[in-house]
């Protein structure tokens, strides 16, 4: 009579643990590298300022700018400006993105409509958004509405193209199978077309987030509304060299806001599209071992 067979080693479990450890090490390495480069750039900025390569009356040092940014963080007016920028950006992106998803889906689903509208899309996507700024000012004046209309216009065209490509990228076999099974058009769009287009839409939204912020700051710089980070930059510039550290502090704050917004969109993309192959490959990283 033989005893019980020995239990084989849990190789897959070890492989998963090793892959997770390797992924953590890679992420830590990337974070360390980015922080090192950031520290080097800030250090170079300070050295160039101290040694006089950058004129102090035109380009304040890193420490003076950081001190000005710290003072602004303690001012209620700064947070009012920040909220005004975020509000106009969010309204413009929401309007532009919502319209783009609707129009892009309709054009992507209908070949004739896509061919008919293609010349118009190709024309307007090449028009620099800043070029329509005078028209927006004439129509709406230097107001909050002008800002989010400008942002919506700039977001709409490139995102519409992304949505069209996404809708038209549906696997014909999957589409025909759903149709053969009697899945109704609306449900087929929800369960087949939209998931296939989701990665294209997510990428377009991430790009639109950065583009919309740039456009909103540009609109603020010409006086669109009563508050905003761009208006803070312009006000400090007009105040003269004594306020230049504050101007650069607002510029840095604008950059930090852009990083936060695009990072939030990237995180949301990874969370929402965790089921997609591109996100699984991103999570595993190159050379990662997949459990078998």
């Amino acid at each position: 009579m033989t005893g019980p067979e020995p239990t084989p080693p849990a190789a897959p479990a070890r492989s998963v643990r090793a892959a997770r450890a390797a992924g953590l090490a890679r992420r830590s390495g990337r974070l360390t590298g980015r922080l090192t480069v950031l520290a080097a750039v800030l250090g170079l900025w300070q050295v160039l300022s101290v040694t006089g390569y950058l004129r102090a009356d035109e380009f304040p040092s890193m420490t003076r700018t950081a001190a000005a940014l710290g003072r602004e963080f303690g001012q209620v007016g700064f947070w009012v400006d920040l909220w005004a920028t975020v509000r106009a950006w969010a309204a413009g992106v929401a309007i532009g993105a919502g319209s783009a998803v609707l129009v892009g889906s309709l054009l992507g689903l209908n070949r004739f409509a896509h061919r008919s509208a293609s010349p118009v899309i190709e024309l307007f996507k090449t028009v620099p958004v800043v070029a329509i700024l005078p028209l927006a000012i004439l129509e709406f004046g230097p107001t909050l509405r002008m800002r989010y209309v400008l942002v919506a216009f700039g977001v709409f065209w490139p995102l519409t193209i992304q949505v069209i490509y996404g809708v038209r990228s549906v696997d014909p076999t999957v589409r025909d199978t759903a149709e053969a099974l009697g899945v109704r058009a609306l449900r087929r769009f929800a369960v087949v077309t939209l998931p296939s287009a989701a990665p294209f839409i997510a990428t377009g939204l991430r790009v639109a987030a950065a583009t919309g912020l740039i456009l909103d700051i540009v609109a603020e710089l010409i006086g669109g509304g009563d508050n905003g980070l761009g208006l803070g930059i312009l006000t400090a510039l007009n105040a003269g060299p004594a306020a230049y550290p504050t101007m650069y502090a607002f510029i840095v704050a604008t950059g930090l806001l852009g990083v936060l917004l695009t990072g939030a969109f990237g995180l949301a993309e990874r969370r929402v599209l965790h089921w997609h192959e591109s996100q699984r490959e991103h999570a595993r990283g190159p050379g990662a071992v997949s459990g078998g």
Side-chain angles (χ1 to χ4, degrees):
M1 185 175 181
T2 60
E5 295 183 0
T7 303
R14 287 200 299 271
S15 299
V16 171
R17 287 196 296 270
R20 289 175 178 172
L24 180 60
R26 282 192 300 272
R27 288 191 292 270
S28 300
R30 286 196 295 266
L31 178 60
T32 301
R34 291 170 182 173
L35 292 177
T36 301
V37 172
L38 177 61
V41 170
L42 294 177
L44 178 62
W45 177 4
Q46 182 67 18
V47 169
L48 292 177
S49 299
V50 171
T51 55
Y53 282 96
L54 297 176
R55 291 181 52 181
D57 59 339
E58 295 180 353
F59 205 115
S61 66
M62 184 271 293
T63 52
R64 290 182 64 198
T65 302
L69 183 60
R71 288 194 300 270
E72 290 300 322
F73 281 168
Q75 301 292 326
V76 175
F78 172 82
W79 298 105
V80 172
D81 287 336
L82 179 65
W83 169 242
T85 296
V86 172
R87 183 178 58 177
W89 165 85
V93 170
I95 294 171
S99 303
V101 170
L102 176 61
V103 174
S105 298
L106 293 175
L107 295 180
L109 291 171
N110 190 297
R111 188 179 299 273
F112 175 77
H114 176 229
R115 289 179 177 177
S116 301
S118 182
V120 177
I121 296 174
E122 292 298 324
L123 171 65
F124 277 100
K125 82 170 186 179
T126 59
V127 175
V129 181
V130 178
I132 72 162
L133 188 56
L135 296 177
I137 295 175
L138 284 175
E139 182 66 26
F140 303 105
T143 61
L144 176 63
R145 179 180 296 181
M146 181 272 290
R147 286 160 54 186
Y148 63 67
V149 166
L150 191 71
V151 172
F153 182 88
V155 165
F156 175 80
W157 299 105
L159 185 54
T160 297
I161 296 173
Q162 282 286 106
V163 176
I164 292 173
Y165 285 151
V167 170
R168 295 176 64 86
S169 70
V170 178
D171 188 341
T173 303
V174 176
R175 183 186 59 223
D176 294 342
T177 301
E179 188 174 354
L181 292 174
V183 180
R184 294 180 181 273
L186 187 58
R187 185 181 179 190
R188 189 165 64 244
F189 175 79
V191 301
V192 175
T193 304
L194 198 57
S196 297
F200 291 86
I201 298 173
T203 300
L205 284 173
R206 185 157 31 88
V207 175
T211 303
L213 181 62
I214 293 171
L215 294 174
D216 184 44
I217 296 298
V218 169
E220 292 173 359
L221 283 171
I222 56 91
D226 297 328
N227 301 103
L229 294 178
L231 190 59
I233 294 172
L234 183 63
T235 302
L237 174 65
N238 293 334
Y244 281 1
T246 301
M247 180 184 71
Y248 280 96
F250 271 93
I251 294 173
V252 171
T254 302
L256 293 175
L257 178 61
V259 171
L260 288 175
L261 292 177
T262 53
F265 270 79
L267 179 60
E269 178 182 352
R270 289 193 293 273
R271 296 288 187 182
V272 175
L273 300 180
H274 62 88
W275 49 269
H276 195 265
E277 181 62 26
S278 63
Q279 299 303 323
R280 292 200 297 269
E281 291 295 334
H282 177 82
R284 287 198 294 264
V289 179
S290 58

